[in-house]
Amino acid sequence: MNDSNHEISLQQAIDMTTLYRENKPADAPICETFEIAAINQLAAVSGCAYLRIYYGRKENMEIHAILVAANENNEDILPAETATNALNTGNGVILEDGYRSPPDCPPKSALNSND
């Protein structure tokens, strides 16, 4: 992976989120919000060099983000009871159940509305 600070301009973010909202599948969320304590717990996993976001569906078919830590070799750091094709150190944390928008939408901003 290359060294990147991952920053983009506000205008790039507005353009990207607008294009997404205009073309997203009807059942896809606009965003998901996670508590900072949960993100800090994930970042504190031993060996964490990256935050990876997977997308999955619950049994009701709602799309949700699934967050995991990854190490400097780009391997997922997963709890011990997971599949053996990843780094299973037993200290992994998997986050899900973000506040999905809709229905739990944040106040309007340039990134989530056309107003």
Side-chain angles (χ1 to χ4, degrees):
M1 302 189 102
N2 64 20
D3 291 329
S4 173
N5 68 4
H6 303 284
E7 286 186 38
I8 61 173
S9 70
L10 174 58
Q11 189 57 56
Q12 287 173 299
I14 292 169
D15 293 346
M16 291 175 68
T17 57
T18 299
L19 187 61
Y20 172 77
R21 287 191 316 276
E22 291 171 349
N23 295 283
K24 75 176 188 63
D27 66 337
I30 293 172
C31 68
E32 286 188 58
T33 302
F34 289 82
E35 307 233 0
I36 195 65
I39 299 298
N40 289 340
Q41 179 185 14
L42 185 62
V45 168
S46 179
C48 179
Y50 302 101
L51 171 68
R52 178 161 294 126
I53 303 171
Y54 287 101
Y55 299 97
R57 289 188 185 265
K58 289 192 172 187
E59 287 183 15
N60 66 4
M61 298 305 290
E62 280 186 343
I63 297 169
H64 286 269
I66 300 166
L67 288 64
V68 300
N71 67 16
E72 64 184 20
N73 294 322
N74 201 26
E75 300 165 313
D76 290 343
I77 302 173
L78 303 174
E81 68 270 9
T82 60
T84 59
N85 63 347
L87 185 63
N88 299 324
T89 62
N91 70 344
V93 174
I94 300 174
L95 300 180
E96 197 272 320
D97 279 336
Y99 303 109
R100 191 175 184 272
S101 173
D104 293 322
C105 298
K108 286 186 178 184
S109 81
L111 299 182
N112 65 25
S113 70
N114 292 334
D115 298 337

